Amino acid sequence: MAVSLTEGVVMKMLNGEVTSETDMMPVLQVTELKLIQSKLHQNQESSNRYKFLLSDGTDLAAGMLNTSLNSLVNQGTIQLGSVIRLTHYICNLIQTRRIVVIMQLEVIVEKCNIIGNPKEPGHSSINPQRGGVNTQSNGGSEQQQARRSDVNGGRYGVSANSPQPQVVHNSSDAGRYCVSANSPQPQVVHSSSDAGRYGVSANSPQRQVVHNSPDAGRYGQPQVSQRYGTGSGYPETSPSTRPYVSSNAGYGGSRQDQPRAPTATTAYSRPVQSAYQPQQPPMYVNRGPVARNEAPPRINPIAALNPYQGRWTIKVRVTSKADLRRFNNPRGEGKLFSFDLLDADGGEIRVTCFNDAVDQFFDKIVVGNVYLISRGNLKPAQKNFNHLPNDYEIHLDSASTIQPCEDDGTIPRYHFHFRNIGDIENMENNSTTDVIGIVSSISPTVAIMRKNLTEVQKRSLQLKDMSGRSVEVTMWGNFCNAEGQKLQNLCDSGVFPVLALKAGRIGEFNGKQVSTIGASQFFIEPDFPEARELRQWYEREGRNAHFTSISREFSGVGRQEVRKVIAQIKDEKLGTSEKPDWITVCATISFMKVENFCYTACPIMNGDRPCSKKVTNNGDGTWRCEKCDKCVDECDYRYILQIQLQDHTDLTWATAFQEAGEEIMGMSAKDLYYVKYENQDEEKFEDIIRSVAFTKYIFKLKIKEETYSDEQRVKATVVKAEKLNYSSNTRFMLEAIDKLKIGDANSLPIKAESSNYRSDAFNSGVGTSGTRDTASVDARREFGLPAANQVGQYGNQYSSDARSLGGFTSCNVCRSNSHVSANCPTLMSEPQGQYMGGTNAGGGMPRQHVGSY
Amino acid sequence: MDTSSPAAFVNGALLRRYIGQKVRAVIQVIRSDVGSVIGKSTDDQQIVVKGSPQPPLTTYLEVIGIAETDNTIRAEVWTNFGDSFDVQNYNELCKLANGEFRHLFI
């Protein structure tokens, strides 16, 4: 197949005449292909780049392939010798070289011998003759046009704009292509070939409209003026100068229409002219430069952004915005925030602002709004913070501009990359994904104690989809309350809501699970096709289908809220294992030691928190800290409250330090100290103590055995105290009653969570153990059956059945096949003995049978 | 404690079981007329409570009285229960008190 390269274009690219596809879409040959591996992320395929040498037959230009096109090389579509047409590219000056960055291309010929004898850039010079012959391919270049008009004179008027470069090449007979050009047939060819090559066809009326756009103005105007300014002789000789100018809005290529119009195909050309003639001439002749300035910026797609491109503007919708964060590193303090963008082509990218840029832009950015953003730096994406499918992220600085603009319906509000749950099983940990499914159950919020003694809320739910799999989704922090509560309410009312989770992180914490990150978003009962499809599926078959969970085991006893009674501290020998036990009790303060309720503490800041060690009075009004080895004028007062807690089972001593003390007393230790010792207002002090004593709180306790002078003592420390909320406590008790009703020995909230997805996983086991009423997961949920324990009991009662199921590792403690012994619920929670007698008898019985005891 | 005349916890649906008997219910006041209060039971049914309570009334009221029809109570005792009240919990209580744990309630 004969291929013609766009001759001379490399020189134009190198000297800056041709910078992007709006100038032209050249056809070039790949003469060298190199893989460049980015040092930043060697493990990521996407960070590989391909470097090209591109030839136009005479000269070579260096080019880079956008990583999104890497697959073309990997598949062998582009190889050495391939002839490609650059349909979207940018020539950027990098240091002293110009590099062609290719965003989009068409492969014209996959395999081809190297055409001509191209040389390295800088060695060859322009041959005017060659340029002259070939210019029609370069229609947009005024220099060549002008030069050629000198060379070719009058004949040029027709030939220059011949639709087919080959024709020009092969024949020097001007007359011949005069004829061909006049006939309607080539006309069509012309339009189409031009359209393909330049993305514009000056001949067609539609394209003319395109030329009216500021872009056309930017590129077209100088050409027009220069061309006529140089006086090629053409306009004077042409009978139709004005229409000619007007038709020539951008590219020389359209020129042939006009002279031809009066001569031959009148019917064909006239309407075209009249369509745009009235407004065109003044636009371009008089107002060129002005039009250029007024021009709204060209919108680049996000997918085409790259570091080798200086000037760009994107039109984007902000899909999420992170909170302002402060950081501290060896180079000092700083702050940052980031937000995620989506454009009309579905491209996504994150923007990060640091320090000054935060002040400049933080308030401007509103989630959901559309903005024009230009001039930022593109940096490789920090994949550990940035989950978006883009190799880059934008860093804004003071030169960047963010301009709000009208809402643009073509930019979607959200862009999902849903993966089904079955796929998630095979996805890498820490990768992010979007997932949509039916929420089959949701657990209550529990508070988890972090190592640094701060608390975080956690809540998990089971999500299932058409892949027949279910997964545990863990919600952290604020998600537990707003979205979590909404889901809870929906589940409570018997609806199994559709939930779309955007940007969940896949983790491997006892099986695969998905958890929320800061950028995650929940969409509850969303209205888009995937959700409707899922809903239909669920109503049709999903409701009764069997699901296998990809989250194998519940996350252990961990630091979830474990509600216990005080007697259990002793009964279960809490705190005596290696790690402390964290429990929650609902108890009344029955006694409080009022002497020494606080101590004098060192206020000197040690990092971000005060030293807080005990300081001693020097007797001269100053206080000395042994640890800091310093004296201070004023000390802090910190609680060290010794309180006795009592519930209906037992009582225990506990210590509450500063924060917990404040929560209990409702005032700071210092204030209380002043009441008692400075003001000596004994009556007020007693009032305060009395108001706290005999009040019910929910206490979070850390139970740990400690050794004091060879004596082992189990110490309870209050880490959190909360005045009892009767409403929520009643709810909690109702749940417990519910569980008790269906014969569960372990009526604790933690079990509910653990059992929920075991119920999914071991549904069949339960079903075949002869419990007709609980055969389906959802039915069980309605009863609130804690399946794990049930299974355990079935295991005992119907052990032969259970074993015959096979397939699961069975527990050697309770003989259930639902778990291995390490996770056996009978070991994880309080001894069943306590409730055993009554409840086991009805073990696993559905509600209606329970009434008997 | 006086157990001679127990008042059963009821919501709207349970009221009909106790016609002619003493009941107690918490209602959300919708409007109050002369000689009666129109309210909403904890299971969202409209109930007419006959009698004249002492104003002012809070959003939630507990009434103790005789169930006259399946949506009317002739109230003897009116108690203001404040403006925030967990209706759902109360409704569950009603169900428990009339369900399998009935024997635990007087």
Side-chain angles (χ1 to χ4, degrees):
Chain A
M1 172 183 163
V3 191
S4 74
L5 303 177
T6 312
E7 268 188 64
V9 71
V10 164
M11 277 323 291
K12 290 191 219 308
M13 284 172 157
L14 294 180
N15 64 25
E17 269 175 56
V18 171
T19 56
S20 76
E21 73 279 0
T22 47
D23 296 320
M24 58 191 307
M25 295 196 192
V27 176
L28 296 167
Q29 186 174 38
V30 177
T31 57
E32 200 178 308
L33 190 57
K34 259 190 206 164
L35 178 66
I36 303 172
Q37 271 179 328
S38 152
K39 282 168 202 143
L40 269 172
H41 327 266
Q42 274 155 340
N43 48 350
Q44 288 174 31
E45 200 206 352
S46 58
S47 62
N48 293 344
R49 275 189 169 275
Y50 286 101
K51 193 185 159 188
F52 284 166
L53 279 183
L54 297 169
S55 152
D56 62 358
T58 43
D59 302 304
L60 288 170
M64 297 274 256
L65 195 61
N66 201 23
T67 49
S68 60
L69 299 176
N70 279 2
S71 58
L72 289 177
V73 180
N74 298 339
Q75 291 159 8
T77 314
I78 298 180
Q79 44 187 284
L80 216 59
S82 292
V83 176
I84 56 175
R85 171 179 294 140
L86 313 186
T87 53
H88 186 12
Y89 67 97
I90 290 195
C91 298
N92 278 309
L93 195 60
I94 293 168
Q95 286 159 351
T96 55
R97 295 184 70 190
R98 274 194 193 266
I99 306 279
V100 185
V101 181
I102 306 166
M103 266 76 79
Q104 274 169 37
L105 57 81
E106 288 166 23
V107 178
I108 295 176
V109 184
E110 277 186 28
K111 279 185 187 173
C112 187
N113 293 329
I114 303 291
I115 299 170
N117 181 23
K119 285 177 290 236
E120 282 293 320
H123 297 300
S124 61
S125 60
I126 297 177
N127 176 348
Q129 210 58 47
R130 188 185 67 222
V133 173
N134 216 19
T135 338
Q136 52 278 46
S137 334
N138 308 339
S141 156
E142 66 270 14
Q143 269 198 3
Q144 293 260 348
Q145 290 283 12
R147 185 179 297 121
R148 185 137 73 94
S149 69
D150 294 341
V151 171
N152 289 341
R155 193 185 59 170
Y156 144 77
V158 181
S159 66
N161 302 290
S162 160
Q164 288 169 316
Q166 284 82 359
V167 176
V168 182
H169 262 303
N170 300 341
S171 166
S172 57
D173 180 1
R176 184 180 144 204
Y177 47 67
C178 261
V179 172
S180 72
N182 282 342
S183 80
Q185 203 67 26
Q187 197 71 40
V188 175
V189 172
H190 182 123
S191 319
S192 63
S193 79
D194 254 2
R197 194 152 301 162
Y198 307 124
V200 286
S201 164
N203 283 353
S204 79
Q206 293 94 326
R207 291 297 177 168
Q208 213 62 47
V209 176
V210 171
H211 285 195
N212 285 336
S213 77
D215 273 340
R218 187 183 312 153
Y219 295 107
Q221 201 284 331
Q223 284 177 292
V224 172
S225 58
Q226 190 183 340
R227 196 170 299 133
Y228 301 112
T230 52
S232 62
Y234 185 150
E236 287 81 31
T237 56
S238 164
S240 55
T241 301
R242 282 185 66 82
Y244 169 60
V245 171
S246 63
S247 74
N248 228 339
Y251 299 83
S254 68
R255 213 186 289 179
Q256 73 194 90
D257 268 357
Q258 267 50 55
R260 213 184 311 128
T263 59
T265 52
T266 314
Y268 177 82
S269 303
R270 278 295 183 202
V272 178
Q273 280 178 22
S274 57
Y276 49 75
Q277 194 175 355
Q279 66 273 66
Q280 278 288 55
M283 279 283 288
Y284 289 103
V285 173
N286 302 329
R287 283 188 42 205
V290 179
R292 188 193 306 172
N293 291 340
E294 281 170 358
R298 214 175 87 86
I299 306 299
N300 302 61
I302 284 176
L305 294 184
N306 64 71
Y308 311 104
Q309 183 183 15
R311 207 185 126 87
W312 48 260
T313 299
I314 48 177
K315 186 173 185 184
V316 286
R317 190 186 296 283
V318 175
T319 55
S320 73
K321 175 183 173 184
D323 293 332
L324 179 61
R325 284 193 295 130
R326 292 177 191 279
F327 62 86
N328 219 329
N329 68 14
R331 278 175 295 168
E333 289 184 13
K335 54 186 173 181
L336 75 138
F337 88 106
S338 63
F339 52 98
D340 295 345
L341 304 177
L342 176 64
D343 75 359
D345 301 324
E348 290 179 276
I349 196 161
R350 169 160 299 178
V351 179
T352 308
C353 299
F354 291 93
N355 302 327
D356 291 348
V358 173
D359 300 331
Q360 197 174 346
F361 299 120
F362 187 78
D363 296 332
K364 250 188 181 177
I365 296 298
V366 177
V367 174
N369 286 5
V370 177
Y371 299 90
L372 290 170
I373 297 180
S374 58
R375 279 197 284 270
N377 301 312
L378 278 124
K379 298 276 167 68
Q382 299 278 320
K383 286 292 183 189
N384 40 346
F385 301 121
N386 184 345
H387 64 277
L388 296 180
N390 197 321
D391 290 333
Y392 301 107
E393 58 187 42
I394 299 172
H395 289 194
L396 295 184
D397 54 35
S398 51
S400 310
T401 60
I402 297 183
Q403 194 187 336
C405 64
E406 275 175 38
D407 203 295
D408 183 340
T410 61
I411 306 178
R413 301 222 151 236
Y414 308 104
H415 189 64
F416 292 96
H417 308 273
F418 288 124
R419 301 293 298 265
N420 69 41
I421 294 169
D423 289 349
I424 289 174
E425 191 170 18
N426 300 319
M427 284 171 72
E428 260 180 54
N429 287 341
N430 286 331
S431 55
T432 33
T433 185
D434 301 338
V435 63
I436 186 167
I438 299 272
V439 177
S440 59
S441 66
I442 181 163
S443 75
T445 302
V446 294
I448 303 232
M449 195 64 66
R450 289 207 193 101
K451 278 231 164 66
N452 60 7
L453 285 190
T454 59
E455 229 180 38
V456 62
Q457 306 226 287
K458 177 196 164 182
R459 184 170 201 149
S460 45
L461 58 85
Q462 299 301 317
L463 202 64
K464 48 195 185 186
D465 73 2
M466 288 180 248
S467 63
R469 298 301 192 109
S470 68
V471 68
E472 181 177 82
V473 175
T474 308
M475 318 165 85
W476 295 97
N478 288 334
F479 288 114
C480 297
N481 299 325
E483 287 88 349
Q485 193 55 47
K486 192 172 172 195
L487 288 167
Q488 175 91 65
N489 293 344
L490 284 166
C491 283
D492 284 349
S493 62
V495 179
F496 299 98
V498 174
L499 171 68
L501 168 60
K502 175 145 180 68
R505 175 177 289 161
I506 297 171
E508 191 147 36
F509 189 63
N510 293 309
K512 287 279 185 196
Q513 54 138 312
V514 178
S515 50
T516 63
I517 53 176
S520 300
Q521 285 174 295
F522 279 91
F523 300 88
I524 298 166
E525 294 283 27
D527 185 30
F528 40 71
E530 291 93 337
R532 284 191 288 271
E533 193 187 344
L534 198 62
R535 169 61 66 199
Q536 281 165 11
W537 159 81
Y538 189 72
E539 299 301 340
R540 205 170 53 240
E541 50 187 306
R543 189 181 283 274
N544 301 313
H546 166 73
F547 293 90
T548 308
S549 178
I550 62 170
S551 313
R552 276 191 303 279
E553 279 303 329
F554 173 63
S555 43
V557 268
R559 287 176 178 182
Q560 281 81 8
E561 180 171 318
V562 186
R563 181 75 80 93
K564 300 219 181 235
V565 292
I566 289 174
Q568 286 177 287
I569 298 174
K570 279 189 195 129
D571 292 348
E572 297 175 15
K573 296 188 171 57
L574 294 182
T576 52
S577 58
E578 214 168 293
K579 284 184 171 174
D581 285 301
W582 304 78
I583 63 166
T584 305
V585 295
C586 174
T588 306
I589 297 177
S590 55
F591 184 72
M592 185 185 289
K593 277 190 186 167
V594 290
E595 305 81 32
N596 304 323
F597 61 85
C598 66
Y599 71 99
T600 51
C602 172
I604 296 170
M605 292 303 280
N606 185 0
D608 55 349
R609 48 175 61 197
C611 156
S612 297
K613 286 278 182 284
K614 191 175 165 66
V615 289
T616 48
N617 195 337
N618 286 339
D620 58 356
T622 61
W623 303 84
R624 180 176 167 74
C625 175
E626 292 292 335
K627 184 174 175 252
C628 302
D629 199 17
K630 276 180 193 160
C631 290
V632 288
D633 290 340
E634 213 170 313
C635 65
D636 265 355
Y637 295 88
R638 293 176 70 85
Y639 278 116
I640 176 162
L641 275 181
Q642 302 286 340
I643 52 175
Q644 207 170 47
L645 309 180
Q646 185 170 20
D647 70 2
H648 62 284
T649 61
D650 204 352
L651 53 80
T652 186
W653 280 102
T655 310
F657 290 102
Q658 181 68 352
E659 290 78 11
E662 277 180 11
E663 285 166 358
I664 292 169
M665 302 305 301
M667 65 195 301
S668 73
K670 190 173 187 174
D671 290 350
L672 194 59
Y673 179 89
Y674 272 68
V675 168
K676 187 172 165 67
Y677 295 102
E678 298 290 318
N679 304 336
Q680 307 233 324
D681 190 344
E682 199 60 34
E683 204 174 305
K684 190 178 176 192
F685 180 75
E686 279 176 16
D687 274 352
I688 293 167
I689 300 298
R690 263 199 297 270
S691 72
V692 172
F694 303 109
T695 317
K696 267 193 178 181
Y697 289 85
I698 302 278
F699 291 103
K700 213 145 285 178
L701 299 179
K702 175 185 160 191
I703 314 284
K704 180 77 188 115
E705 189 176 56
E706 287 176 19
T707 311
Y708 293 98
S709 54
D710 293 341
E711 199 190 336
Q712 302 276 318
R713 280 172 58 186
V714 174
K715 264 199 83 177
T717 310
V718 180
V719 288
K720 193 175 182 208
E722 212 176 330
K723 273 233 168 71
L724 185 66
N725 177 333
Y726 286 96
S727 173
S728 63
N729 201 51
T730 304
R731 235 175 257 263
F732 169 80
M733 288 193 287
L734 281 169
E735 265 176 50
I737 291 171
D738 246 18
K739 279 162 199 156
L740 205 60
K741 275 205 291 192
I742 44 81
D744 171 32
N746 304 303
S747 56
L748 293 168
I750 177 174
K751 303 322 297 172
E753 201 172 353
S754 70
S755 52
N756 272 337
Y757 56 82
R758 282 185 189 146
S759 69
D760 275 2
F762 304 108
N763 193 11
S764 62
V766 178
T768 50
S769 312
T771 51
R772 301 148 302 275
D773 304 66
T774 56
S776 93
V777 181
D778 298 326
R780 183 155 351 124
R781 208 193 68 81
E782 280 163 26
F783 290 120
L785 277 175
N789 296 316
Q790 242 188 322
V791 172
Q793 285 155 358
Y794 296 148
N796 292 332
Q797 287 176 322
Y798 306 103
S799 55
S800 56
D801 282 5
R803 256 177 305 176
S804 68
L805 294 169
F808 300 117
T809 319
S810 69
C811 171
N812 56 15
V813 175
C814 69
R815 299 179 67 190
S816 159
N817 62 344
S818 67
H819 49 259
V820 295
S821 58
N823 299 307
C824 178
T826 58
L827 294 181
M828 284 200 295
S829 53
E830 86 271 43
Q832 289 193 335
Q834 198 175 348
Y835 300 106
M836 216 49 138
T839 48
N840 238 4
M845 289 297 189
R847 187 184 290 193
Q848 54 266 45
H849 301 287
V850 177
S852 56
Y853 66 88
Chain B
M1 195 174 2
D2 177 19
T3 60
S4 56
S5 157
F9 286 98
V10 291
N11 58 20
L14 291 162
L15 193 55
R16 66 176 60 107
R17 285 204 211 169
Y18 296 92
I19 291 173
Q21 290 174 282
K22 199 178 223 183
V23 293
R24 70 171 77 214
V26 172
I27 57 159
Q28 185 183 341
V29 177
I30 296 172
R31 69 173 187 276
S32 95
D33 295 339
V34 181
S36 71
V37 170
I38 315 290
K40 200 169 69 175
S41 69
T42 52
D43 57 349
D44 254 4
Q45 298 193 13
Q46 188 156 316
I47 290 188
V48 180
V49 188
K50 292 182 178 167
S52 304
Q54 284 290 329
L57 300 180
T58 56
T59 311
Y60 294 99
L61 273 185
E62 187 197 44
V63 295
I64 302 177
I66 307 294
E68 288 199 325
T69 69
D70 57 7
N71 64 355
T72 331
I73 299 171
R74 177 165 295 283
E76 293 155 10
V77 184
W78 303 78
T79 314
N80 274 331
F81 263 28
D83 294 324
S84 72
F85 182 77
D86 195 321
V87 178
Q88 212 184 335
N89 279 340
Y90 188 88
N91 200 44
E92 290 302 313
L93 172 68
C94 292
K95 289 194 221 158
L96 284 174
N98 292 281
E100 59 233 62
F101 301 115
R102 206 172 151 176
H103 58 284
L104 296 173
F105 293 77
I106 40 173

